Amino acid sequence: MSSLSNCIKMAIILKSRGITKIEILAKELNVSTRQIQTYKKQLDEAGIWINSKPGKYGGYELIGNPLINLNLSEKDLIILDTINEQLKHDNNIYQSEFSNIINIVRSSINQLNHDKNIMEYFTLQPKCNSDNNKQKRTCEAIIYSYITKKKLEIKYHSLSSGLSKRIVHPYAITSYKGDFYMVAFCEKRQKVLDFKICRIEEYNTLEENYSIDENFSSENYIKNCIGIYKGNEIKVILEIRNDFRYIIKEKIWVDNQKITDFDDYILFEANMRGYNEIKSWILSMGSNVKVIEPENLKMDIIEDLKLSLASYSK
């Protein structure tokens, strides 16, 4: 549990129990008595006053009632629990921290030991198969680099060029299909790229500072992309039939999409980026889709299907 979470939990314990010995607090928070003294100092600095009472029945006590009444309903708590279940089944790297926050919230309103009544949640997509603790440490280094505006040297495994050292300027952290990515300017490539965080094998914060390009906008960076890939924008027109026409209509793939209904098919039109992702998306629809435009996309998909068929013929 983080230092901040432990500070909050310590204050909540003192609020509910009154005077509590340091040894008991240390045992409940699974830290040393010295760390409890550090938490007291941090709480004092935050304006949450902790008094030390000497003697046989002494200990720490909370002065006043500084904790905010969250006034959460049972419905609010069920929503938090449901999100927690989703993070757990998605193998999100911050699930345990989120679970700790929920416990702190529940303990602050005396509902720590509650009877859960949460609808079961499960995910059908593959889970991230990597070291969550390592990813969290990497994310913390990226965030520190961003806050201090110090360049980050990473050893990164690229699928196209293998393992290499890069010096990057972190701009943002994003997620896609359960994986976390760092959006950063790469000095080697001289452009903003996406770096999959689980592929960062080593990192080192440098002393040299960087500044973020004033023209960079995360909204523009992902505009009209249906995946993590970027690239030039193309006009896509598809004829989609059978059940897939309903599936496609159920989502906003890009903001500028236009869908026209006909008796037995829909016409999907959009300006899109991420050529490889667009191809993969179309191929996933099998014989239910026909590419009207652009012509080169149609020919590339035909070629991919021929190669796939040839591999099965061997």
Side-chain angles (χ1 to χ4, degrees):
M1 188 182 289
S2 69
S3 175
L4 176 60
S5 297
N6 270 342
C7 282
I8 296 171
K9 190 170 183 180
M10 175 173 153
I12 290 169
I13 291 171
L14 293 174
K15 177 192 173 187
S16 60
R17 297 184 190 172
I19 298 173
T20 307
K21 289 189 175 296
I22 297 177
E23 292 79 7
I24 294 174
L25 289 169
K27 184 176 180 180
E28 294 221 8
L29 298 179
N30 195 29
V31 297
S32 66
T33 55
R34 185 175 180 180
Q35 189 63 49
I36 293 295
Q37 294 169 356
T38 301
Y39 294 156
K40 176 188 179 301
K41 183 180 178 181
Q42 291 173 345
L43 287 167
D44 288 343
E45 290 173 350
I48 301 174
W49 306 111
I50 308 295
N51 183 45
S52 301
K53 187 173 181 179
K56 182 178 179 181
Y57 300 104
Y60 282 167
E61 64 176 337
L62 185 68
I63 300 175
N65 187 18
L67 298 180
I68 298 173
N69 181 6
L70 297 176
N71 196 28
L72 294 176
S73 67
E74 186 59 31
K75 180 181 177 181
D76 296 327
L77 296 171
I78 289 173
I79 291 171
L80 288 174
D81 284 329
T82 302
I83 293 172
N84 189 42
E85 289 298 306
Q86 292 176 358
L87 294 177
K88 184 192 303 179
H89 287 278
D90 290 341
N91 198 28
N92 187 281
I93 63 175
Y94 289 111
Q95 187 277 325
S96 60
E97 284 81 358
F98 188 78
S99 182
N100 285 332
I101 291 170
I102 291 176
N103 287 335
I104 290 170
V105 169
R106 283 194 174 274
S107 64
S108 70
I109 57 176
N110 299 318
Q111 286 195 22
L112 186 57
N113 297 318
H114 65 288
D115 294 322
K116 284 196 173 183
N117 185 23
I118 309 166
M119 181 175 287
E120 186 177 358
Y121 172 90
F122 58 90
T123 180
L124 298 177
Q125 67 181 21
K127 296 179 182 179
C128 182
N129 184 24
S130 58
D131 186 337
N132 281 352
N133 289 327
K134 181 183 176 183
Q135 282 203 76
K136 280 188 277 191
R137 290 192 297 270
T138 306
C139 282
E140 288 169 3
I142 292 168
I143 293 169
Y144 175 78
S145 172
Y146 176 82
I147 292 172
T148 60
K149 294 299 181 289
K150 292 188 179 295
K151 295 181 180 182
L152 195 67
E153 183 181 64
I154 61 173
K155 188 177 286 186
Y156 184 72
H157 182 81
S158 168
L159 296 182
S160 58
S161 57
L163 191 65
S164 65
K165 281 188 178 182
R166 310 279 187 100
I167 294 177
V168 298
H169 311 168
Y171 280 16
I173 291 177
T174 186
S175 64
Y176 176 61
K177 292 184 177 179
D179 292 309
F180 283 83
Y181 291 81
M182 170 181 65
V183 179
F185 177 82
C186 176
E187 291 190 357
K188 182 179 180 180
R189 302 296 185 196
Q190 283 296 298
K191 62 180 179 179
V192 177
L193 298 171
D194 299 305
F195 296 89
K196 199 171 187 177
I197 289 177
C198 67
R199 293 186 190 146
I200 299 175
E201 299 197 359
E202 295 178 15
Y203 53 84
N204 179 38
T205 305
L206 304 177
E207 288 302 315
E208 190 178 354
N209 292 98
Y210 74 91
S211 57
I212 293 178
D213 186 346
E214 293 179 354
N215 296 319
F216 175 81
S217 160
S218 58
E219 184 179 346
N220 290 333
Y221 184 64
I222 62 173
K223 186 178 180 181
N224 296 338
C225 295
I226 65 167
I228 204 67
Y229 296 101
K230 306 301 185 295
N232 295 328
E233 190 172 281
I234 60 172
K235 173 75 174 181
V236 176
I237 302 178
L238 308 173
E239 184 181 299
I240 304 169
R241 299 179 177 275
N242 302 324
D243 290 344
F244 268 89
R245 58 183 166 148
Y246 302 109
I247 295 171
I248 296 303
K249 286 172 63 176
E250 288 169 352
K251 289 187 179 182
I252 298 175
W253 301 92
V254 290
D255 289 337
N256 69 83
Q257 71 185 39
K258 177 185 174 184
I259 297 176
T260 307
D261 276 292
F262 293 93
D263 289 339
D264 57 350
Y265 69 93
I266 62 168
L267 198 66
F268 177 92
E269 300 176 70
N271 294 317
M272 308 177 82
R273 294 165 59 207
Y275 194 79
N276 289 334
E277 195 83 24
I278 295 168
K279 277 205 308 177
S280 177
W281 176 58
I282 293 172
L283 286 166
S284 71
M285 290 185 260
S287 60
N288 298 289
V289 62
K290 178 182 178 181
V291 178
I292 307 300
E293 290 184 18
E295 185 66 22
N296 64 309
L297 176 61
K298 181 194 301 185
M299 299 311 297
D300 281 350
I301 287 176
I302 290 172
E303 188 62 29
D304 282 354
L305 290 172
K306 285 180 179 178
L307 291 172
S308 179
L309 184 62
S311 67
Y312 278 104
S313 304
K314 292 179 180 178

